């Protein structure tokens, strides 16, 4: 477990020490109030991590959006990484993907009734969202755990099972973007991408090793896949995951951590060819040619499987061959809570939104929701919690 995908560059550890000093100084300035964190009258739920690389942020934000959308007015606010527009922008179903980024575009297509907006300045974005929609009940912040200018009502920290932060090191030796103590800001910690067959002893080991405060809730999630669907709507062929054994599959990804997907698909086919690009990769002419040539060289029967995030960019890419377009499929992914934790998690989230919504009779003034000094993580006695055993 400790060493699954973790590689520490020990010779870079001195540089990590200097990097850590800078991050600690920044966090200290927020903790003592030199740099200001803002609270908002609308409930804010932040989802993020303290590592470089994918921890499953988008599926977890989508889970929250799907959980809340039928009962509340929901907005998702993202920075819109690598988008071509600037400032604040609210998406419509017709907004081009390059204007808002691949992940916001994906969420808007999935949840048309949910407001999806992008703004690098999260405080500015929340202000405009609340001004523009007086009925707004909750804002979901995508990838904002380290954006400390916003003080969320619930702070969710995602931790990849295959690269547990307790065994990692700071950049550049490891992948931590801030010291391990940063996890103390979380109200909820979710260990993501867990193997479905995780044993009770492993839950206990991870729970103990995470060393959380009593006020922090620990959950475990795993990834589940739906039926692959054609990326291009004019494709009529369909495939099933359980019939891929004799199919030569080109796994096309431009995500931070493709290893998990490779691991999950490997038992389903004896002919898996990974073709990996960097996270949020913008496919250029030479990349498209590489995809065409690689797929053309595979024996039949064959198919291409890609992620939902990559599909949003491939749909807008020029030069894909007709053969590729006819045989490329997106693999939808969703999260599933383990240990029967789903109901507890859902109740914690919906209870917070219902109690604090601007439109609820239970809503309190935002000042009443500010934690008192006596509840600051630095003033608590650390204990080990086994609530989730």
């Amino acid at each position: 477990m400790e060493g699954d995908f973790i590689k520490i560059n020990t010779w870079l550890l001195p540089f990590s020490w200097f990097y850590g000093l800078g991050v600690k100084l920044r966090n200290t300035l927020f903790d003592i109030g030199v740099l200001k964190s803002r609270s908002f009258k609308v409930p804010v739920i932040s989802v993020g991590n303290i590592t470089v690389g994918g921890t499953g942020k988008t599926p977890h934000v989508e889970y929250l959006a799907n959980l809340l959308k039928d009962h509340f007015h929901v907005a998702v606010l993202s920075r819109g990484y690598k988008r071509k527009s600037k400032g604040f922008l609210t998406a419509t179903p017709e907004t081009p993907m390059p204007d808002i980024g691949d992940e916001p575009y994906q969420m808007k297509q999935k949840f048309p009734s949910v407001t999806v907006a992008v703004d690098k300045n999260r405080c500015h974005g929340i202000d405009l969202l609340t001004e523009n929609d007086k009925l707004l009940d909750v804002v979901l912040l995508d990838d904002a755990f380290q954006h400390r200018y916003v003080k969320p009502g619930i702070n969710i920290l995602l931790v990849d099972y295959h690269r547990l932060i307790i065994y990692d090191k700071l950049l550049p030796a490891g992948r931590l973007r801030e010291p391990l103590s940063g996890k103390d800001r979380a109200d909820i910690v979710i260990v993501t991408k867990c193997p479905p067959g995780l044993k009770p002893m492993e839950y206990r080991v991870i729970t103990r090793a995470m060393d959380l405060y009593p006020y922090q809730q620990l959950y475990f999630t795993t990834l589940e896949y739906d039926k692959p669907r054609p990326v291009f709507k004019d494709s009529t062929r369909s495939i099933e995951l359980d019939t891929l054994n004799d199919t030569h599959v080109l796994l096309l990804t431009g995500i931070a951590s493709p290893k998990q997907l490779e691991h999950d698909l490997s038992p389903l086919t004896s002919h898996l060819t990974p073709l990996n690009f960097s996270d949020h990769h913008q496919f250029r002419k030479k990349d498209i040619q590489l995809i065409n040539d690689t797929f053309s060289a595979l024996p039949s029967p064959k198919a291409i499987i890609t992620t939902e995030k990559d599909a949003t960019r491939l749909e807008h890419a020029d030069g894909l061959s007709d053969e590729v377009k006819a045989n490329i499929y997106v693999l939808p992914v969703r999260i599933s809570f383990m240990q029967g934790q789903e109901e507890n998690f859902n109740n914690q989230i919906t209870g917070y939104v219902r109690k604090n919504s601007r439109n609820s009779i239970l809503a309190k003034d935002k000042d009443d929701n500010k934690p008192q000094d006596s509840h600051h993580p630095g003033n608590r006695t650390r204990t080990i919690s086994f609530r989730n055993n």
Side-chain angles (χ1 to χ4, degrees), residues 2-68:
E2 174 179 346
D4 277 355
F5 298 146
I6 296 182
K7 180 180 179 181
I8 304 297
N9 297 311
T10 54
W11 64 278
L12 291 173
L13 285 174
F15 299 97
S16 296
W17 186 80
F18 286 108
Y19 172 83
L21 284 179
V23 177
K24 285 181 179 179
L25 174 60
R26 178 180 184 269
N27 282 335
T28 299
L29 293 176
F30 275 106
D31 293 338
I32 65 177
V34 175
L35 295 177
K36 303 295 183 181
S37 297
R38 283 185 58 194
S39 297
F40 295 84
K41 289 184 178 180
V42 65
V44 176
I45 301 174
S46 170
V47 180
N49 58 31
I50 59 172
T51 56
V52 174
T55 52
K57 292 187 297 296
T58 300
H60 284 80
V61 174
E62 290 181 346
Y63 181 94
L64 291 169
N66 190 55
L67 171 67
L68 298 169

Side-chain angles (χ1 to χ4, degrees), residues 327-364:
N327 292 280
I328 186 168
Y329 301 85
V330 59
L331 184 61
V333 62
R334 64 178 184 273
I335 66 159
S336 175
F337 281 86
M338 308 175 77
Q339 294 188 297
Q341 296 177 320
E342 182 174 359
E343 184 176 358
N344 287 341
F345 178 83
N346 292 355
N347 289 340
Q348 184 174 0
I349 297 299
T350 57
Y352 160 72
V353 176
R354 185 172 292 111
K355 181 179 180 180
N356 295 281
S357 167
R358 294 183 298 173
N359 307 301
S360 170
I361 60 174
L362 298 176
K364 300 178 180 180

Side-chain angles (χ1 to χ4, degrees), residues 94-363:
E94 292 74 35
T95 301
M97 184 278 295
D99 287 355
I100 56 174
D102 48 16
E103 291 167 345
Y105 179 86
Q106 173 184 320
M107 283 185 269
K108 186 61 182 177
Q109 297 301 308
K110 275 190 174 183
F111 307 111
S113 65
V114 171
T115 300
V116 177
V118 291
D119 196 335
K120 185 177 180 180
N121 184 332
R122 308 300 174 86
C123 290
H124 179 256
I126 296 174
D127 283 338
L128 289 182
L129 284 170
T130 54
E131 289 174 12
N132 296 339
D133 185 357
K134 301 303 181 184
L135 297 178
L136 184 63
D137 290 309
V138 58
V139 176
L140 305 178
L141 287 185
D142 180 24
D143 194 14
F145 189 82
Q146 292 187 295
H147 192 89
R148 297 198 59 185
Y149 291 99
V150 175
K151 187 172 185 60
I154 292 183
N155 217 359
I156 300 177
L157 174 65
L158 304 183
V159 177
D160 188 340
Y161 168 87
H162 300 284
R163 194 174 182 104
L164 293 174
I165 57 177
I166 50 179
Y167 303 126
D168 214 337
K169 299 293 183 183
L170 283 168
L171 291 168
R175 293 187 182 177
L176 290 181
R177 295 189 289 189
E178 65 174 287
L180 188 59
S181 59
K183 68 182 173 65
D184 296 345
R185 299 196 307 275
D187 302 290
I188 292 173
V189 178
I190 303 178
V191 180
T192 68
K193 303 182 182 180
C194 296
L198 203 61
K199 296 180 173 58
M201 177 60 73
E202 293 181 275
Y203 287 114
R204 291 194 289 270
V205 169
I206 294 175
T207 299
R208 179 176 297 167
M210 288 299 296
D211 195 18
L212 300 180
Y213 285 107
Y215 68 91
Q216 296 176 296
Q217 297 290 319
L218 180 63
Y219 296 94
F220 296 82
T221 61
T222 188
L223 295 178
E224 294 183 348
Y225 302 101
D226 290 327
K227 178 181 177 179
R229 65 173 187 269
V231 171
F232 295 93
K233 296 179 180 179
D234 54 353
S235 176
T236 58
R237 181 188 169 199
S238 64
I239 60 173
E240 301 282 349
L241 287 178
D242 56 4
T243 61
L244 290 178
N245 185 50
D246 296 325
T247 302
H248 291 261
V249 175
L250 177 63
L251 180 57
L252 174 58
T253 62
I255 58 177
S257 302
K259 291 293 184 182
Q260 180 69 47
L261 187 52
E262 292 177 25
H263 177 271
D264 293 341
L265 289 182
S266 291
L268 303 177
T269 174
S270 54
H271 312 288
L272 186 66
T273 303
L275 182 58
N276 301 325
F277 297 89
S278 60
D279 196 19
H280 300 278
H281 185 77
Q282 299 299 319
F283 295 102
R284 296 177 172 81
K285 185 176 180 180
K286 64 176 182 179
D287 304 319
I288 298 301
Q289 189 61 51
L290 176 61
I291 294 169
N292 291 340
D293 292 345
T294 303
F295 186 66
S296 177
L298 292 180
S300 296
K302 57 186 176 179
I304 301 176
I305 289 181
T306 191
T307 70
E308 292 175 285
K309 186 167 72 172
D310 292 311
T312 64
R313 283 175 276 118
L314 288 166
E315 282 181 288
H316 297 84
D318 294 326
L320 288 173
S321 68
D322 291 339
E323 183 185 34
V324 166
K325 288 184 176 181
N327 292 280
I328 186 168
Y329 301 85
V330 59
L331 184 61
V333 62
R334 64 178 184 273
I335 66 159
S336 175
F337 281 86
M338 308 175 77
Q339 294 188 297
Q341 296 177 320
E342 182 174 359
E343 184 176 358
N344 287 341
F345 178 83
N346 292 355
N347 289 340
Q348 184 174 0
I349 297 299
T350 57
Y352 160 72
V353 176
R354 185 172 292 111
K355 181 179 180 180
N356 295 281
S357 167
R358 294 183 298 173
N359 307 301
S360 170
I361 60 174
L362 298 176

